[in-house]
Amino acid sequence: MKVLLLCGIMVLSGVQAPQTNSGVIAGKILRSGGAEGIPGVEILLVGPLTGTAANAATSNPLMIAEIAEGGGVPQVNTTSANDGSFVFRNLVPGQYTLRARREGYTAASPALAGGFPTFATAPVVVVAGTPVPAITLEMAQGGTISGRVRDPAGQPATGFTVTAY
């Protein structure tokens, strides 16, 4: 880095000006079927996606979990506030995927292959100079099954498989 003194003004050479990109993705995580926000949801923003990753996210947003874990795709995360709101700022234009996850919750809609995934997803496109509409993801609180398996003498039984339908 070079420092030049011009007319009493110090000029730093070789330093880039900070980017002033204003891309913002904001929204809320809501309980399924209601307007109540869910606090403490882990939200992962994956992207911007290019090439194969962008095509995979478009055809099946659930695949983005595998793409992100494979490395090479930028990721940033946050946690939803008490009212379920979240925001990601200073994003470059491109295609992104949001993944929201919280213990005890599932996506409110079933996956393409059936069943309810443990996270909700949404593809989002950031276009320069165009505001991104607020994102709303719904999650359903899961149930809990508990109990004890005992042998005829009332003692805890071992070696059994328990299946719920």
Side-chain angles (χ1 to χ4, degrees), residues 128-148:
T130 304
V132 174
I135 305 296
T136 300
L137 290 174
E138 290 189 2
M139 299 187 78
Q141 192 163 14
T144 302
I145 298 174
S146 63
R148 293 181 164 85

Side-chain angles (χ1 to χ4, degrees), residues 56-153:
T58 301
S59 63
N60 183 358
L62 297 178
M63 285 184 61
I64 201 60
E66 296 171 21
I67 293 168
E69 291 168 5
V73 178
Q75 302 176 40
V76 64
N77 61 9
T78 191
T79 303
S80 64
N82 287 338
D83 65 352
S85 64
F86 65 90
V87 64
F88 294 96
R89 300 182 191 282
N90 300 319
L91 302 172
V92 298
Q95 183 174 347
Y96 294 82
T97 295
L98 282 170
R99 283 181 52 198
R101 187 181 101 143
R102 181 171 171 195
E103 188 72 34
Y105 286 81
T106 64
S109 303
L112 297 175
F116 289 83
T118 58
F119 53 87
T121 64
V124 183
V125 177
V126 174
V127 178
T130 304
V132 174
I135 305 296
T136 300
L137 290 174
E138 290 189 2
M139 299 187 78
Q141 192 163 14
T144 302
I145 298 174
S146 63
R148 293 181 164 85
V149 178
R150 301 199 179 264
D151 66 16

